[in-house]
C-alpha cells in the first residue's frame, strides 16, 4: 500500500482506462475515505433510457437513407457513451459503454432489416415459397399489402404520385363450369401478364381469388383518361366478365389497406355495371365515411347518410315483420298447448 513506484507489469483495466497498480491502490483508499462508491444504475433509468435510445435510432434509420441513418445512429451511440461517462464521473453510476454500443447496433440493424425486408426476401429467394400465388404468379395479398405500404406510404414516398389498377374477374370455381383446370390457370396467368405489360417493372398482387391489383408509380389524375384507353386496348380480346377500376393516391387516404379497399370498391362498381369499361375513382363516393366527413361539404356529403338512413329503415321494417311473424307463431303454439292441456 505504501509503494509509490510504477512497475511495468502492474497495470490494470479500470472504467477510466488502463491504470498503474499504485494509482488503483490510491484511488481505492480515497474511495474508502470519501465513501463515494460506484453504484449500479437504477432500473427505471436503464429502462427509459434504452427505450428512448432504441426508438430514436429506429425512427431515424427508417426515415432516412442507409448512409444518413448509419451516421445518425453512430452519432446517437457516441452521445450515449458520453452520457454514460458523465453519469460515471458525476453520479458514480457504473455504466458500460459496450452495452450502449451493442444496443444501438441492434436497433439500427432491426430498423434496416424491417425497412428492406422485401429486398432481403428477394435476394434470398424466400418469396418464391411464401409470397407468390401458385395459380397466377402474382404476389399474395399480405405480401402485396406490405409492398404497397413500403413503396407508397412510408417516408418521403407518401408524397409521390402512385396509382392502382384493380381487376375483378370470375372466381376460378365459376370458370371451371366452362373450361378445364389448366385453362383456368392459364387464364389467371394471362391476366397477370396483361397487367404487367401495362406498367413494366411494377408489382402485381392477388388480393382475393377474383381480384388482381397493379401498382402504377407516377400515375396522376390528369393521366387517368389516357391510361384507361390503354387498359381497354390491352383487355380488348379477353373473354369473360371483367370489372376494371383505376384510382390514384388521395391525400385523405392514409394507409395501404384503406387504399386497396377503395380500389376493390371501384372495381366492384365496374363489375356490377356489366360493361367493358374502366371505372375511375370518385373521392366523395369511394372514400370511407370517416375520412369523407372531415372534408366534404354538408350538401355534397348528405347522399351517403341518406343511403345509410334508408338502409336502416329497410332493416327496421324487416325486423318488424319478423317480430309479427314470431308473435303469430307464439299464439299458435299457445293454442296448441291449451289443447294438449
Amino acid at each position: 500500500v505504501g509503494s509509490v513506484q510504477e512497475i511495468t507489469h502492474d497495470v490494470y483495466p479500470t472504467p477510466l482506462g488502463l491504470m498503474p497498480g499504485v494509482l488503483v491502490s490510491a484511488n481505492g483508499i480515497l474511495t474508502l475515505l470519501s465513501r463515494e462508491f460506484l453504484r449500479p444504475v437504477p432500473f427505471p433509468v436503464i429502462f427509459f433510457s434504452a427505450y428512448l435510445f432504441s426508438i430514436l435510432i429506429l425512427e431515424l434509420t427508417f426515415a432516412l437513407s442507409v448512409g444518413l441513418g448509419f451516421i445518425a445512429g453512430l452519432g446517437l451511440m457516441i452521445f450515449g457513451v458520453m452520457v454514460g461517462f458523465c453519469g460515471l464521473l458525476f453520479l458514480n453510476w457504473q455504466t458500460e459503454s459496450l452495452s450502449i454500443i451493442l444496443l444501438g447496433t441492434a436497433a439500427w440493424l432491426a430498423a434496416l432489416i424491417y425497412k428492406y425486408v422485401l429486398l432481403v426476401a428477394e435476394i434470398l429467394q424466400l418469396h418464391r415459397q411464401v409470397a407468390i400465388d401458385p395459380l397466377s404468379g402474382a404476389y399474395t395479398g399480405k405480401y402485396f399489402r406490405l409492398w404497397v405500404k413500403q413503396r407508397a406510404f412510408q417516408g418521403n414516398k407518401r408524397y409521390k404520385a402512385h396509382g392502382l389498377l384493380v381487376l375483378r374477374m370470375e372466381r376460378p370455381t365459376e370458370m371451371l363450369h366452362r373450361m378445364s383446370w389448366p385453362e383456368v390457370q392459364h387464364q389467371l396467368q394471362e391476366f397477370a401478364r396483361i397487367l404487367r405489360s401495362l406498367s413494366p417493372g411494377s408489382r402485381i398482387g392477388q388480393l382475393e381469388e377474383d381480384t388482381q391489383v397493379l401498382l402504377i408509380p407516377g400515375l396522376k389524375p390528369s393521366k387517368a383518361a389516357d391510361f384507361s384507353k390503354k387498359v381497354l386496348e390491352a383487355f380488348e380480346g379477353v373473354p369473360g366478365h371483367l370489372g376494371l377500376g383505376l384510382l390514384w393516391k388521395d391525400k385523405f387516404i392514409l394507409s395501404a389497406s384503406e387504399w386497396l379497399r377503395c380500389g376493390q370498391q371501384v372495381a366492384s362498381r365496374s363489375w356490377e355495371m356489366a360493361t367493358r369499361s374502366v371505372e375511375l375513382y370518385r373521392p366523395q363516393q369511394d372514400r370511407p365515411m370517416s375520412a369523407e366527413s372531415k372534408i366534404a361539404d354538408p350538401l355534397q356529403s348528405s347522399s351517403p347518410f341518406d343511403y345509410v338512413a334508408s338502409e336502416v329503415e329497410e332493416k327496421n321494417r324487416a325486423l318488424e315483420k319478423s317480430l309479427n311473424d314470431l308473435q303469430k307463431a307464439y299464439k299458435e303454439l299457445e293454442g296448441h298447448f291449451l289443447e294438449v292441456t
Side-chain angles (χ1 to χ4, degrees), residues 191-264:
F191 286 144
R193 186 194 64 79
I194 294 175
L195 289 176
R196 195 175 289 110
S197 66
L198 292 172
S199 182
S202 299
R203 301 287 174 171
I204 301 173
Q206 186 84 28
L207 289 188
E208 307 289 345
E209 61 175 349
D210 61 345
T211 306
Q212 291 185 3
V213 183
L214 171 68
L215 179 65
I216 312 164
L219 180 67
K220 299 180 180 179
S222 57
K223 301 179 181 178
D226 296 335
F227 193 80
S228 299
K229 297 179 181 178
K230 183 179 178 182
V231 172
L232 290 177
E233 293 175 358
F235 284 95
E236 185 176 0
V238 178
H241 185 191
L242 300 178
L244 295 165
L246 183 63
L247 68 159
W248 45 89
K249 281 178 61 177
D250 192 320
K251 61 181 179 180
F252 297 102
I253 296 179
L254 304 178
S255 66
S257 299
E258 185 179 332
W259 196 32
L260 293 171
R261 189 167 56 249
C262 290
Q264 288 179 295

Side-chain angles (χ1 to χ4, degrees), residues 9-31:
H9 64 271
D10 190 27
V11 178
Y12 303 93
T14 68
L16 299 179
L18 295 177
M19 189 175 292
V22 62
L23 293 183
V24 173
S25 301
N27 284 327
I29 295 172
L30 181 62
T31 301

Side-chain angles (χ1 to χ4, degrees), residues 160-178:
K160 296 182 180 179
H162 289 81
L164 280 181
L165 177 62
V166 184
L167 168 65
R168 182 176 174 183
M169 67 199 83
E170 295 178 292
R171 296 179 182 273
T173 53
E174 297 174 354
M175 294 183 184
L176 284 173
H177 295 300
R178 54 185 177 82

Side-chain angles (χ1 to χ4, degrees), residues 35-312:
R35 295 184 177 277
E36 293 182 353
F37 304 108
L38 290 179
R39 297 172 296 166
V41 182
F43 178 75
V45 175
I46 296 177
F47 179 79
F48 287 109
S49 300
Y51 176 77
L52 183 62
F53 183 64
S54 303
I55 288 297
L56 284 175
I57 291 183
L58 286 170
E59 290 293 334
L60 289 175
T61 305
F62 200 73
L64 302 175
S65 61
V66 179
L68 292 178
F70 176 76
I71 294 174
L74 185 62
L76 283 175
M77 282 187 276
I78 294 174
F79 177 75
V81 172
M82 293 177 62
V83 170
F85 183 77
C86 291
L88 173 66
L89 194 62
F90 297 105
L91 300 175
N92 295 327
W93 281 352
Q94 189 175 0
T95 58
E96 296 182 4
S97 302
L98 182 60
S99 300
I100 298 174
I101 295 174
L102 290 177
L103 178 62
T105 305
W108 180 74
L109 288 175
L112 200 65
I113 291 174
Y114 178 74
K115 184 177 181 180
Y116 294 100
V117 61
L118 301 179
L119 182 60
V120 172
E122 286 189 355
I123 293 175
L124 299 179
Q125 295 295 315
L126 296 177
H127 69 287
R128 296 296 177 186
Q129 302 175 7
V130 300
I132 301 296
D133 183 77
L135 295 180
S136 63
Y139 290 106
T140 57
K142 292 183 179 179
Y143 190 90
F144 186 74
R145 286 186 177 89
L146 179 61
W147 177 266
V148 172
K149 179 181 178 182
Q150 292 197 350
R151 286 292 174 177
F153 286 92
Q154 289 184 348
N156 296 328
K157 297 177 181 178
R158 64 179 180 269
Y159 301 110
K160 296 182 180 179
H162 289 81
L164 280 181
L165 177 62
V166 184
L167 168 65
R168 182 176 174 183
M169 67 199 83
E170 295 178 292
R171 296 179 182 273
T173 53
E174 297 174 354
M175 294 183 184
L176 284 173
H177 295 300
R178 54 185 177 82
M179 59 180 67
S180 62
W181 179 248
E183 291 176 342
V184 171
Q185 187 175 5
H186 175 73
Q187 186 71 24
L188 294 175
Q189 295 175 355
E190 182 67 15
F191 286 144
R193 186 194 64 79
I194 294 175
L195 289 176
R196 195 175 289 110
S197 66
L198 292 172
S199 182
S202 299
R203 301 287 174 171
I204 301 173
Q206 186 84 28
L207 289 188
E208 307 289 345
E209 61 175 349
D210 61 345
T211 306
Q212 291 185 3
V213 183
L214 171 68
L215 179 65
I216 312 164
L219 180 67
K220 299 180 180 179
S222 57
K223 301 179 181 178
D226 296 335
F227 193 80
S228 299
K229 297 179 181 178
K230 183 179 178 182
V231 172
L232 290 177
E233 293 175 358
F235 284 95
E236 185 176 0
V238 178
H241 185 191
L242 300 178
L244 295 165
L246 183 63
L247 68 159
W248 45 89
K249 281 178 61 177
D250 192 320
K251 61 181 179 180
F252 297 102
I253 296 179
L254 304 178
S255 66
S257 299
E258 185 179 332
W259 196 32
L260 293 171
R261 189 167 56 249
C262 290
Q264 288 179 295
Q265 187 171 346
V266 177
S268 297
R269 187 170 65 245
S270 174
W271 174 271
E272 293 170 358
M273 293 177 63
T275 58
R276 188 63 65 88
S277 61
V278 179
E279 278 293 308
L280 299 182
Y281 171 60
R282 302 175 187 175
Q284 296 297 332
Q285 179 176 346
D286 298 321
R287 201 167 54 242
M289 294 291 294
S290 58
E292 196 170 286
S293 59
K294 296 178 183 178
I295 54 93
D297 184 78
L299 297 178
Q300 296 178 352
S301 60
S302 60
S303 56
F305 292 102
D306 293 341
Y307 172 75
V308 173
S310 62
E311 186 176 358
V312 171

Side-chain angles (χ1 to χ4, degrees), residues 305-321:
F305 292 102
D306 293 341
Y307 172 75
V308 173
S310 62
E311 186 176 358
V312 171
E313 185 178 357
E314 184 179 352
K315 290 183 178 180
N316 287 337
R317 286 198 297 266
L319 183 61
E320 185 177 1
K321 182 181 178 182

